Amino acid sequence: MKIGVIGGGQLGRMLALAGTPLGMNFAFLDPAPDACAASLGEHLRAGYSDQEQLRQLADQVDLVTFEFESVPAETVAFLSQFVPVYPSAEALRIARDRLFEKSMFRDLGIPTPAFADILSQADLDAAVASIGLPAVLKTRTLGYDGKGQKVLRTAQDVVGTFAELGNVPCLLEGFVPFTGEVSLVAVRARDGETRFYPLVHNTHNSGILHLSVASQAHPLQALAEDYVGRVLQQLDYVGVMAFEFFEVDGGLKANEIAPRVHNSGHWTIEGAECSQFENHVRAIAGLPLGSTAKVGESAMLNFIGEVPPVEQVVAIDDCHLHHYGKAFKAGRKVGHATLRCQDMTTLEHKIAQVQALIGN
Amino acid sequence: MKIGVIGGGQLGRMLALAGTPLGMNFAFLDPAPDACAASLGEHLRAGYSDQEQLRQLADQVDLVTFEFESVPAETVAFLSQFVPVYPSAEALRIARDRLFEKSMFRDLGIPTPAFADILSQADLDAAVASIGLPAVLKTRTLGYDGKGQKVLRTAQDVVGTFAELGNVPCLLEGFVPFTGEVSLVAVRARDGETRFYPLVHNTHNSGILHLSVASQAHPLQALAEDYVGRVLQQLDYVGVMAFEFFEVDGGLKANEIAPRVHNSGHWTIEGAECSQFENHVRAIAGLPLGSTAKVGESAMLNFIGEVPPVEQVVAIDDCHLHHYGKAFKAGRKVGHATLRCQDMTTLEHKIAQVQALIGN
């Protein structure tokens, strides 16, 4: 079976590393000449709206998936005429737009921060009056890693902010005094079978994920599975989805979903019996799902901007390096390390060792 | 770092799958148009004696390794002029020839079956008279998976057998009434640091490895490490080596070494903290070695001739498929499955499940 992937970054690279042992071949559509997944399959170097290349891709693969959610809707619609696309155009449409996403949460009874659709500065002023401050203004589409958003704390922060974010449709979200950020990575097969990985506790630095720690029997696991299950069923979803939550007052408030393999699930390569990448491939290929059980205690640390010297990373016992083969650049995700240990005490010690290499 | 691999079969493929996350790139020299490692790096399609292509390979990589030991000596010598080659030409020279190999065992005080160099039928007749029957006549070079050898049980079996094996230099080996076949996979770094995986118990069908089971605290582990350590030091070896032994009377007799990653170490991809493939890459690249500790209880089953339907293999919990992407052909190794379980009872149950798919 040959799988087409829209995007050839590290997620595509790790999909190919997981799918190749299943006998899958891969083709990546990515305009970047140095797309880091390219060495693991064919590389169609073209823009995401290049219909000729999209048609070429569709003609040579059995199905198409993607590694980022801001794929143009027209691209997905075009491809869907010729080849199955997983997850579906509808899942992408919802996940790509914070208004649709939050509205779906509300409709499904999943708690989420107060929000308002913002199409003008006047909308923003009215919404701030209603929701209150602090609040966060986010572009409805194309935001990631803390980009395309601004925290509003004072009335002064609100002035001119709609223009500052580019005069594009935005969402104002009430600020949530959360005690933690957790995410649940789930996978749903074509036949509806669904499996969930353990909840992961995430720590961000400057809006970018820094550390994910897989939890042990988290008390909110069942609640999170309930919420995520509602969304998966609503979208008749196929593949891996990540769902980010705020922990608030011993409960969960939905932040956002990612309709794809996700950074907070990278620990599963070594830390789970079957990784999120293999499970995504299995799901879209119509294969039985793999076990989401943990293997030992795991954590993942991102390497942002640069990978520390390889010999220092791999000198740490139980540390697994994932170098993305990308050019180093400030703020760019260029690699990660997974730690897999026998117990939490050892894990915490190893986390500190990796952090010392990063300088965090 | 870019690594050149002589040979582009499944061992090269699994080296690339393990080395890519370390940030390594790969180039494979293999005359086969459908070399199954080719999709994971550059493919120089040329014969192993094609000096122009060998030079091209040497010019674009930082070091060279190989995935089979019958690489022509001239190839290794030629490459070594331009680029480091690991393991060394000397290690290959010994491992490639059963006479040199057995003589080294004897010189290092490692028990091995009685043997005699056979250059003619007259040599064979004399050796049979001295060593006795049953015995095994093996070509000194190029034998693998039970090919290039004949078991001699009666005087009748001896008649004309030298010609039958092609009138090439052979070794006669006394038959050993072994109770089991075990192998030790070891890795040695450039600085001499050495690590050993747990002893593996191997079962063959028709001369081809069928099943490897990683042992738990095997009573012969220390003895095996002693023997293998002597060979590694003697050869100033760099990289992964596999050493096959017969279990005889509660001790070990050396059968043969493979100067490379080995089929009986495939279980380490999931079953050990750091796989034989990653450790080989680490060793030749001058990186610190990874842990050879087991993760759970593991076994590996080969798929010979064909891979069972993928959906049936992956439907077995804790079963990890490794499909080599090769054309199916009787007697050919085309894939394997690793099982990783919490305990031996579960492992034995799962082994039976995979065997049922194979029809063994």
Side-chain angles (χ1 to χ4, degrees):
Chain A
M1 182 177 288
K2 190 164 179 182
I3 296 177
V5 184
I6 307 299
Q10 65 263 27
L11 302 183
R13 181 175 163 105
M14 289 185 276
L15 282 171
L17 287 170
T20 298
L22 298 178
M24 309 292 179
N25 294 300
F26 290 83
F28 304 95
L29 183 88
D30 193 312
D34 58 348
C36 73
S39 66
L40 302 175
E42 280 173 64
H43 181 198
L44 284 79
R45 195 179 152 195
Y48 299 120
S49 303
D50 181 332
Q51 292 202 346
E52 196 183 311
Q53 290 294 310
L54 287 171
R55 184 63 204 265
Q56 275 211 17
L57 179 72
D59 284 350
Q60 65 168 283
V61 301
D62 298 289
L63 56 89
V64 167
T65 189
F66 36 82
E67 55 143 40
F68 64 109
E69 57 269 40
S70 50
V71 177
E74 302 72 30
T75 300
V76 179
F78 180 80
L79 284 167
S80 299
Q81 298 173 73
F82 310 108
V83 68
V85 178
Y86 300 109
S88 68
E90 175 62 6
L92 265 190
R93 189 184 70 82
I94 302 285
R96 173 191 310 124
D97 187 308
R98 294 185 193 279
L99 175 64
F100 299 161
E101 188 181 49
K102 288 284 195 304
S103 303
M104 177 183 66
F105 297 156
R106 190 187 51 203
D107 296 346
L108 293 173
I110 301 169
T112 192
F115 63 92
D117 188 20
I118 307 295
L119 298 170
S120 66
Q121 183 68 36
D123 281 354
L124 177 58
D125 295 338
V128 166
S130 145
I131 289 176
L133 293 180
V136 189
L137 186 67
K138 301 177 176 178
T139 59
R140 276 175 49 184
T141 62
L142 296 174
Y144 70 98
D145 287 348
K147 289 171 191 164
Q149 58 180 269
K150 187 181 174 188
V151 178
L152 311 178
R153 298 187 187 279
T154 67
Q156 190 59 36
D157 289 342
V158 181
V159 178
T161 298
F162 184 71
E164 201 180 307
L165 284 186
N167 289 310
V168 295
C170 286
L171 202 74
L172 185 73
E173 295 179 18
F175 195 81
V176 173
F178 60 85
T179 54
E181 293 178 90
V182 292
S183 59
L184 191 76
V185 175
V187 57
R188 188 168 181 272
R190 288 197 206 164
D191 65 3
E193 188 198 354
T194 302
R195 297 195 183 190
F196 303 92
Y197 289 94
L199 265 172
V200 171
H201 183 262
N202 299 315
T203 309
H204 293 79
N205 278 348
S206 311
I208 304 181
L209 183 63
H210 162 60
L211 169 69
S212 292
V213 182
S215 62
Q216 296 176 300
H218 196 293
L220 295 171
Q221 180 78 27
L223 184 65
E225 290 187 9
D226 174 23
Y227 292 159
V228 177
R230 292 183 208 180
V231 169
L232 292 171
Q233 197 169 356
Q234 169 71 20
L235 297 174
D236 191 18
Y237 194 85
V238 176
V240 162
M241 172 184 281
F243 202 130
E244 294 186 67
F245 294 98
F246 299 118
E247 279 187 271
V248 185
D249 295 334
L252 295 170
K253 289 207 178 196
N255 180 18
E256 62 181 21
I257 57 174
R260 52 169 169 81
V261 288
H262 190 256
N263 199 167
S264 69
H266 288 2
W267 65 275
T268 60
I269 297 177
E270 288 87 11
E273 189 60 35
C274 181
S275 75
Q276 66 165 348
F277 298 100
E278 181 172 338
N279 256 331
H280 184 70
V281 170
R282 288 190 187 205
I284 63 180
L287 293 170
L289 300 181
S291 165
T292 51
K294 274 200 306 180
V295 178
E297 300 303 335
S298 273
M300 187 277 326
L301 291 109
N302 267 337
F303 295 133
I304 311 295
E306 61 180 354
V307 176
V310 171
E311 65 276 15
Q312 293 180 20
V313 178
V314 303
I316 299 172
D317 267 349
D318 307 336
C319 181
H320 299 267
L321 172 62
H322 297 268
H323 191 304
Y324 303 155
K326 293 160 70 171
F328 294 170
K329 190 178 154 190
R332 194 179 205 198
K333 292 177 179 172
V334 291
H336 76 267
T338 306
L339 297 166
R340 177 177 59 188
C341 303
Q342 298 269 355
D343 56 77
M344 289 302 284
T345 308
T346 311
L347 183 66
E348 279 158 25
H349 175 64
K350 302 281 181 187
I351 290 172
Q353 283 187 275
V354 177
Q355 283 174 324
L357 294 183
I358 302 175
N360 271 304
Chain B
M1 182 178 283
K2 190 163 180 183
I3 296 176
V5 184
I6 306 299
Q10 66 265 25
L11 301 183
R13 180 173 163 108
M14 290 184 276
L15 281 171
L17 287 169
T20 299
L22 297 180
M24 309 291 179
N25 293 300
F26 290 83
F28 303 95
L29 183 90
D30 193 312
D34 59 348
C36 73
S39 66
L40 302 176
E42 279 173 65
H43 181 197
L44 283 80
R45 192 178 155 197
Y48 299 118
S49 303
D50 181 333
Q51 293 203 345
E52 197 182 310
Q53 290 294 309
L54 287 171
R55 185 64 203 264
Q56 275 212 17
L57 179 71
D59 284 349
Q60 65 169 283
V61 301
D62 297 289
L63 55 89
V64 167
T65 188
F66 35 82
E67 56 142 41
F68 64 109
E69 57 269 40
S70 50
V71 177
E74 301 71 30
T75 301
V76 179
F78 180 79
L79 284 167
S80 299
Q81 299 173 73
F82 310 108
V83 68
V85 178
Y86 299 110
S88 68
E90 174 62 7
L92 265 188
R93 188 184 71 83
I94 302 286
R96 171 193 310 125
D97 188 307
R98 294 185 194 279
L99 176 64
F100 300 160
E101 188 181 50
K102 288 284 196 303
S103 304
M104 177 183 64
F105 297 156
R106 189 187 51 202
D107 295 346
L108 293 173
I110 302 170
T112 191
F115 63 92
D117 187 22
I118 307 295
L119 298 171
S120 67
Q121 184 67 37
D123 281 353
L124 178 58
D125 295 338
V128 165
S130 144
I131 291 176
L133 292 181
V136 189
L137 187 67
K138 301 177 176 178
T139 59
R140 276 176 50 185
T141 63
L142 296 172
Y144 70 98
D145 287 350
K147 291 171 188 163
Q149 57 179 268
K150 189 181 175 189
V151 178
L152 311 178
R153 298 184 186 282
T154 66
Q156 190 59 38
D157 289 341
V158 182
V159 178
T161 297
F162 184 72
E164 201 180 306
L165 285 187
N167 289 310
V168 292
C170 287
L171 203 74
L172 185 72
E173 295 178 17
F175 195 79
V176 174
F178 61 86
T179 53
E181 293 176 90
V182 293
S183 58
L184 191 75
V185 175
V187 58
R188 189 168 181 273
R190 288 196 205 164
D191 66 3
E193 188 197 353
T194 302
R195 297 195 183 191
F196 303 93
Y197 289 95
L199 265 173
V200 171
H201 184 261
N202 300 313
T203 309
H204 293 78
N205 278 347
S206 311
I208 304 180
L209 184 64
H210 161 59
L211 169 68
S212 293
V213 182
S215 62
Q216 296 176 298
H218 196 292
L220 295 172
Q221 180 78 27
L223 184 64
E225 290 187 9
D226 174 23
Y227 292 159
V228 177
R230 293 183 207 181
V231 169
L232 293 171
Q233 195 168 358
Q234 168 72 20
L235 298 172
D236 192 17
Y237 194 85
V238 175
V240 162
M241 172 185 281
F243 202 131
E244 295 187 67
F245 294 99
F246 299 117
E247 278 188 272
V248 185
D249 294 334
L252 296 171
K253 288 207 178 197
N255 181 17
E256 62 182 20
I257 58 173
R260 52 170 169 80
V261 289
H262 189 256
N263 198 165
S264 70
H266 288 1
W267 65 275
T268 60
I269 297 177
E270 288 87 11
E273 189 60 34
C274 180
S275 76
Q276 66 166 347
F277 299 100
E278 182 173 338
N279 256 332
H280 185 69
V281 171
R282 287 190 186 206
I284 63 179
L287 293 170
L289 300 181
S291 165
T292 51
K294 275 200 308 180
V295 178
E297 301 302 335
S298 273
M300 187 279 324
L301 292 109
N302 266 337
F303 296 133
I304 311 293
E306 62 181 353
V307 175
V310 172
E311 65 275 14
Q312 294 180 22
V313 179
V314 303
I316 299 172
D317 267 347
D318 308 334
C319 183
H320 299 267
L321 172 61
H322 297 267
H323 192 303
Y324 302 154
K326 293 161 70 170
F328 294 169
K329 190 178 152 189
R332 195 180 204 200
K333 292 176 178 171
V334 292
H336 76 266
T338 306
L339 297 166
R340 177 177 58 189
C341 303
Q342 300 268 356
D343 55 76
M344 289 302 285
T345 308
T346 311
L347 183 66
E348 280 160 23
H349 177 63
K350 301 281 179 184
I351 289 171
Q353 282 187 277
V354 177
Q355 283 174 325
L357 293 182
I358 301 175
N360 271 306

